[in-house]
Amino acid sequence: MLTPMRAIWSGSITFGLVNVPVKAYSAAKKHDISFHQVHDADGGRIRYQRRCEVCGKKIDYEHIDKAYEDGEQTVVLTDEDFASLPEAQNDEIEVVQFVPSDQIDPIMFGKSYFLEPQGKSPKSYLLLRQALGDTDRTAVVTFALRQKTRLGALRVQDDVLVLQAMYWADEVREVDFPATRSQAKIGTKEKKLAAALVDQFASDFTPEEFEDTYQVELHKLVDAKLEQGESLDTAATFGDVTEESEGEDAEVIDLMQALKASLDKKRGGRKTAAKGSRSTSGTKTSASQRSDSKPSGSKTSSSKASGGRKTGAKKSGSSGGSDASGKSGKKPAKSAKSSATSGEKSGSRRRKSA
């Protein structure tokens, strides 16, 4: 089943007097896992805030303008300033050249967009597609997208017109590596061996056969941690907060309340044991107890479930496993449990002696 796409731009292709109404869609998407940043001690979400360095207030996007600094002075440009530029409202993809396809260096290519025909009749779209296919040429175009004038290439892929953004000529760097001008001689045998090696790997390009193995292993690692219960309460640590409580102080208070409630539930509300644990193990103990002090063996199982692959994390020593950042979150919980038990035993001895 095809994934629904959202158009990011609508306008028309123009070449001569021909007008082709189209909508543009991003041709590619990333498959990487998205991560949040959290505090390694308690798993609390790390948030970044936009604060003014003059008044110290937190600023919303609607009150943020862009500025250019030349070293001594700063010029502020508002949304109205950008909208006043002639090219800002241009909704045309203007064809300026039809060139042989092999004349465009692939290093100039950027992001690609699928173009969908619009209007009552797609005849002009089909005509342009046919012309490009018959002549084996690529249309060099100019267009405006997100307040920028861009250079692009218009070509055919299967039955669809594809707009491929291109770098401007002055954006492509010129390089001069001294080693590339070396006069080192390459022998005949070396050439033959190299040619034979290339011949062994010769094949037609089949992109679907390639797989992002890093992301596959990362998914396995995340799934293994979820299955073994090595997770945090999303509502307590990742939940969205309101504008009124989005400040750093409010977030710390909410997290501390969740930790204290978890400790009280785990220890049956015994304040004496709770105080003894906090004084012994500190913040990291509280964060680990919030996850109900799962056995440290679960991390070992997690490591086995992930196929024993090295994930780049540091070993956590005697705890038997580590999280994705290489920091152990279970060892403090163990010390907290022992301190709580010792606190209960000492209290029991005092009661007996009394």
Side-chain angles (χ1 to χ4, degrees):
M1 183 177 179
L2 295 177
T3 304
M5 296 189 296
R6 181 173 62 87
I8 63 168
W9 181 91
S10 63
S12 59
I13 304 170
T14 61
F15 64 106
L17 299 177
V18 180
N19 186 280
V20 185
V22 293
K23 282 187 176 182
Y25 302 83
S26 294
K29 62 179 182 179
K30 291 186 176 181
H31 60 204
D32 294 0
I33 294 179
S34 297
F35 289 101
H36 296 293
Q37 291 184 329
V38 296
H39 187 190
D40 62 352
D42 50 33
R45 175 75 178 272
I46 303 297
R47 297 182 185 273
Y48 293 94
Q49 297 179 341
R50 302 170 297 276
R51 290 192 178 275
C52 175
E53 294 185 0
V54 176
C55 66
K57 294 181 180 179
K58 185 179 66 176
I59 309 301
D60 295 329
Y61 275 116
E62 61 183 10
H63 297 298
I64 296 179
D65 290 330
K66 294 181 174 66
Y68 172 78
E69 181 182 354
D70 67 355
E72 296 181 357
Q73 294 180 317
T74 298
V75 176
V76 177
L77 298 176
T78 65
D79 291 340
E80 290 75 16
D81 291 329
F82 286 108
S84 67
L85 297 175
E87 287 295 335
Q89 303 301 324
N90 189 355
D91 59 355
E92 292 184 348
I93 301 173
E94 183 181 359
V95 176
V96 292
Q97 286 181 325
F98 288 100
V99 304
S101 299
D102 59 2
Q103 286 188 359
I104 301 178
D105 192 331
I107 200 173
M108 298 188 69
F109 288 139
K111 191 172 182 179
S112 299
Y113 304 91
F114 291 132
L115 299 182
E116 177 189 19
Q118 296 295 300
K120 296 181 179 180
S121 173
K123 187 173 182 179
S124 58
Y125 183 97
L126 302 179
L127 175 63
L128 177 57
R129 186 187 69 185
Q130 187 71 37
L132 290 174
D134 291 345
T135 59
D136 191 24
R137 287 181 175 260
T138 296
V140 176
V141 302
T142 57
F143 64 103
L145 180 64
R146 298 189 179 99
Q147 297 180 334
K148 288 185 179 180
T149 303
R150 304 169 189 263
L151 184 67
L154 197 62
R155 56 185 180 83
V156 180
Q157 178 178 309
D158 298 328
D159 294 331
V160 179
L161 288 177
V162 176
L163 173 62
Q164 196 151 12
M166 296 171 61
Y167 294 108
W168 298 97
D170 62 347
E171 291 182 316
V172 179
R173 291 175 172 171
E174 295 184 3
V175 296
D176 182 17
F177 300 129
T180 61
R181 301 192 303 271
S182 172
Q183 298 300 317
K185 293 183 179 180
I186 301 175
T188 304
K189 290 184 178 180
E190 293 171 325
K191 292 179 182 179
K192 288 183 178 180
L193 287 173
L197 184 61
V198 169
D199 208 36
Q200 287 183 359
F201 285 89
S203 176
D204 292 327
F205 180 51
T206 50
E208 62 276 3
E209 293 183 3
F210 296 90
E211 185 177 50
D212 188 343
T213 54
Y214 175 81
Q215 289 296 321
V216 171
E217 292 179 356
L218 193 57
H219 274 281
K220 289 181 180 179
L221 177 62
V222 171
D223 291 341
K225 283 183 172 290
L226 289 173
E227 290 175 4
Q228 296 299 327
E230 297 182 30
S231 58
L232 301 173
D233 184 354
T234 302
T237 58
F238 287 79
D240 294 333
V241 293
T242 61
E243 288 294 329
E244 291 78 10
S245 63
E246 194 178 5
E248 295 177 356
D249 294 338
E251 188 174 77
V252 172
I253 292 173
D254 292 342
L255 179 60
M256 290 304 297
Q257 288 176 347
L259 293 173
K260 289 178 180 178
S262 299
L263 288 170
D264 290 341
K265 181 180 179 181
K266 181 66 178 177
R267 299 172 181 174
R270 296 182 181 179
K271 296 183 179 180
T272 302
K275 290 180 179 179
S277 173
R278 283 196 294 272
S279 64
T280 303
S281 57
T283 306
K284 290 194 175 183
T285 300
S286 301
S288 300
Q289 291 290 347
R290 187 173 52 77
S291 61
D292 289 342
S293 298
K294 294 183 175 59
S296 60
S298 63
K299 285 188 176 287
T300 305
S301 302
S302 171
S303 299
K304 291 181 179 179
S306 61
R309 299 178 184 273
K310 294 182 179 179
T311 61
K314 297 180 180 178
K315 293 183 179 180
S316 61
S318 60
S319 60
S322 60
D323 59 16
S325 65
K327 298 180 184 295
S328 173
K330 295 294 181 182
K331 191 171 183 180
K334 187 174 181 180
S335 64
K337 186 174 181 180
S338 62
S339 64
T341 304
S342 63
E344 293 173 5
K345 289 182 178 179
S346 62
S348 176
R349 286 195 295 268
R350 286 195 296 270
R351 286 193 295 273
K352 287 181 179 181
S353 62

